[in-house]
Amino acid sequence: MSEDKDLERQLSELLTGGELEQEERKEEERRRLSPKYEIRVQTEHDPIVEETLKYRSMAKEVDGRYDEYLKKTGKTEKTEKVDKED
């Protein structure tokens, strides 16, 4: 009886294996296609700046890896404190 079940399992694997490979191949092709359109959302607040300033209010950073990014956005701890007071 177990031999029959084993043969049946092997047969089902052989029969469905090709279909699964084709589906996987099609899915991989879809993933490789670049999208025609790009959707961008403009926000008022930058989450990276907000999180960086929040972490800096709790602890001192070991390195200044986000300093350049904050300079580009024009936000610093000083301007944030002034904005919050208003």
Side-chain angles (χ1 to χ4, degrees):
M1 192 75 177
S2 66
E3 187 177 325
D4 289 339
K5 288 193 180 225
D6 188 40
L7 288 172
E8 198 171 314
R9 183 184 54 79
Q10 288 177 357
L11 180 62
S12 68
E13 285 178 5
L14 289 172
L15 291 174
T16 58
E19 292 175 13
L20 291 176
E21 287 176 12
Q22 287 177 354
E23 289 176 13
E24 289 173 359
R25 201 173 312 128
K26 287 180 182 178
E27 189 66 31
E28 182 64 30
E29 289 172 359
R30 283 188 206 116
R31 275 188 249 137
R32 287 184 182 180
L33 287 175
S34 62
K36 290 183 180 180
Y37 304 101
E38 183 175 309
I39 298 173
R40 292 181 181 220
V41 178
Q42 186 173 1
T43 62
E44 292 181 21
H45 303 285
D46 187 351
I48 296 171
V49 171
E50 290 179 15
E51 286 184 21
T52 302
L53 295 175
K54 187 72 165 176
Y55 287 131
R56 285 183 175 183
S57 71
M58 292 185 273
K60 185 177 179 184
E61 271 184 302
V62 178
D63 57 357
R65 70 175 74 176
Y66 292 105
D67 288 341
E68 289 298 317
Y69 186 80
L70 290 174
K71 286 178 187 174
K72 288 179 187 176
T73 62
K75 300 280 185 175
T76 61
E77 290 103 7
K78 293 174 187 171
T79 60
E80 281 298 310
K81 288 178 184 174
V82 170
D83 290 344
K84 287 182 182 178
E85 290 175 2
D86 290 337

